[in-house]
Amino acid sequence: METDGFVRKRRMTAESPGSDPGVAGASAGAEVRWLGGRFWGVSESIVGSLAPRIGGETEIQTVDQTVIRVATEQTEEHEPDYEGLPQGASTRTHMLAGAVAGIMEHCLMFPVDCVKTRMQSLQPEPAARYRNVMDALRRIIATEGLWRPMRGLNATAIGAGPAHALYFASYEKLKRTLSDVIHPGANSHLANGAAGCVATLLHDAIMNPAEVVKQRMQMYNSPYRGVLDCIGAVWQKEGAAAFYRSYTTQLTMNVPFQAFHFMTYEYLQERLNPHRQYNPSSHMLSGALAGAIAAAVTTPLDVCKTLLNTQESLAVSSMSAGQGPGQGQGAHRHISGLAHAFRTVYRLGGLKGFFKGVQARVIYQMPSTAISWSVYEFFKYGLTKHQHNKRRTQTHLEAEM
């Protein structure tokens, strides 16, 4: 009876809710197969000992303790190494780690993001023309105050949490699923790129309104007092569609960006970290290089997105002034659509206009993606290790009862 109870307890422990299915399934399968054969041998031993000596309770207890001790040792032998744990992390772990990574990435790099937005301005005010990133930061702080580069941070933080939670969770799930289909048992760069593209759809659907508010507050002489004032003014003057005016452009930019980003990151991980263990330096370096390459390639689309988000007043007025008298008054009150944005950038800045702010964009993306991947992998590893320790402690307590 005690042995039967022990088998039931071990199965309940391995199948307990909240445990990782991969880890628990492997552990439970090994234990049940071992205990099946062990149970028959123990039963014969117990029956044999009871035949000549009915009062042999001490020997029965000794046998039971041996079963528990050997079963515990067998369980520990099948426990996965900590270094391999992130591969079996749960969706909840991916979402939590992704949310923390997204918030930290955007918050830490927000001043550089503010400079990038201003340097992408097609027709900036004379006081908002900067030579480089450091010159811009110095002049913004000197003329507009210490906290001016942080305006709009709260809108970004609110959007970044849920956006990056869905982003990383969907990427991890789709990457595994597509890799099993395209290249079973191995990493597939095509699957990585496709998973990154789909994850971008979910990320941008949440993040785009926050981007609109953030970039309007980052512009020089922004007329908005705060986030709520900006939301209310945009909603009243331009309607709800204004918050998604750049969505198609954002996707057009971010889909190739994320495809380059994830494929480069996974490729570098294969070279720098072939065993895919938790390795902070490899995560940081791979993230930085992947972000820099993807950022440089997609800068023209980012310039168009910034123009659509900010509706830069001087650019809009320049386009309106360029219309003939018979084309209707106010024909260009707003710049809408990717094609319109491309024409505006080319008319006002030429080919060079498509690469305005490329230095700031690369400088922003390199540490940004390095921070994002480092924080994400750290929290994924730490959370999975904590869950594993919790399961192992629970298993040992059950075994001792």
Side-chain angles (χ1 to χ4, degrees):
M1 291 297 291
E2 289 182 6
T3 309
D4 286 337
F6 172 70
V7 173
R8 286 197 298 272
K9 288 177 182 176
R10 297 294 292 174
R11 286 178 178 172
M12 289 173 63
T13 302
E15 300 170 357
S16 61
S19 63
D20 188 294
V23 176
S27 179
E31 289 176 12
V32 170
R33 287 194 298 271
W34 180 83
L35 285 173
R38 185 69 180 172
F39 177 78
W40 180 254
V42 171
S43 299
E44 289 183 334
S45 175
I46 293 175
V47 171
S49 63
L50 284 175
R53 290 181 298 214
I54 302 298
E57 296 179 359
T58 304
E59 276 197 42
I60 295 174
Q61 292 177 359
T62 303
V63 170
D64 288 341
Q65 290 173 1
T66 302
V67 171
I68 293 172
R69 178 178 56 79
V70 177
T72 303
E73 292 174 356
Q74 185 76 10
T75 302
E76 290 177 349
E77 289 177 3
H78 289 278
E79 286 175 350
D81 182 29
Y82 281 155
E83 303 298 343
L85 287 174
Q87 298 295 328
S90 65
T91 300
R92 183 173 59 183
T93 297
H94 291 144
M95 294 187 74
L96 182 56
V100 175
I103 292 171
M104 289 189 67
E105 168 198 347
H106 284 283
C107 290
L108 291 175
M109 296 305 301
F110 198 82
V112 182
D113 185 50
C114 174
V115 170
K116 175 187 74 72
T117 298
R118 291 198 181 191
M119 292 184 74
Q120 288 179 337
S121 175
L122 294 174
Q123 296 211 332
E125 299 279 356
R129 294 174 182 170
Y130 312 110
R131 293 191 302 271
N132 51 52
V133 175
M134 293 308 298
D135 176 59
L137 277 175
R138 181 182 57 80
R139 288 175 56 187
I140 290 171
I141 292 172
T143 59
E144 302 174 50
L146 179 62
W147 297 106
R148 185 63 180 82
M150 305 301 291
R151 286 198 79 207
L153 175 63
N154 43 355
T156 299
I158 291 171
H164 279 74
L166 285 176
Y167 173 71
F168 278 108
S170 58
Y171 170 72
E172 294 279 7
K173 177 66 176 177
L174 288 169
K175 180 181 73 171
R176 289 195 301 270
T177 303
L178 294 175
S179 290
D180 290 341
V181 173
I182 298 172
H183 198 171
N187 184 36
S188 168
H189 294 302
L190 179 60
N192 298 334
C197 293
V198 176
T200 302
L201 298 175
L202 298 173
H203 173 274
D204 288 359
I206 297 175
M207 201 65 190
N208 204 85
E211 283 283 315
V212 172
V213 175
K214 175 200 75 174
Q215 290 197 308
R216 293 201 180 206
M217 295 187 68
Q218 287 175 334
M219 293 298 289
Y220 180 74
N221 276 342
S222 174
Y224 309 107
R225 295 188 303 273
V227 170
L228 294 179
D229 178 49
C230 181
I231 294 172
V234 172
W235 186 288
Q236 184 178 7
K237 295 178 182 177
E238 303 174 43
F243 294 102
Y244 281 93
R245 188 178 287 130
S246 65
Y247 183 56
T248 54
T249 304
Q250 182 103 335
L251 289 179
T252 305
M253 177 189 71
N254 278 350
V255 165
F257 175 88
Q258 298 301 349
F260 277 110
H261 174 202
F262 281 113
M263 291 172 70
T264 305
Y265 178 82
E266 296 289 353
Y267 173 80
L268 290 171
Q269 281 293 286
E270 285 184 350
R271 295 293 179 270
L272 301 175
N273 188 16
H275 299 295
R276 303 311 293 265
Q277 298 178 342
Y278 173 62
N279 187 329
S281 60
S282 76
H283 299 317
M284 183 174 294
L285 181 59
S286 299
L289 292 175
I293 294 170
V297 170
T298 58
T299 295
L301 291 165
D302 192 47
V303 172
C304 294
K305 182 209 75 172
T306 299
L307 178 61
L308 287 168
N309 277 346
T310 59
Q311 295 295 305
E312 189 183 336
S313 57
L314 290 177
V316 173
S317 61
S318 296
M319 292 301 292
S320 298
Q323 298 299 308
Q327 290 182 297
Q329 191 174 10
H332 285 288
R333 289 186 303 169
H334 302 302
I335 297 170
S336 59
L338 180 59
H340 191 184
F342 260 97
R343 289 197 303 270
T344 304
V345 173
Y346 183 74
R347 182 177 181 275
L348 298 178
L351 291 177
K352 289 177 61 177
F354 290 103
F355 288 91
K356 288 180 73 67
V358 63
Q359 179 197 44
R361 178 165 164 77
V362 171
I363 290 175
Y364 169 78
Q365 285 294 345
M366 282 191 71
S368 178
T369 48
I371 291 169
S372 180
W373 278 111
S374 299
V375 173
Y376 173 69
E377 296 286 2
F378 170 77
F379 274 89
K380 185 172 72 170
Y381 173 75
L383 290 170
T384 308
K385 181 177 179 179
H386 173 73
Q387 292 170 1
H388 175 71
N389 284 338
K390 187 176 179 181
R391 286 197 300 270
R392 186 171 67 170
T393 301
Q394 184 181 2
T395 300
H396 288 172
L397 289 175
E398 291 286 344
E400 292 172 359
M401 290 178 62

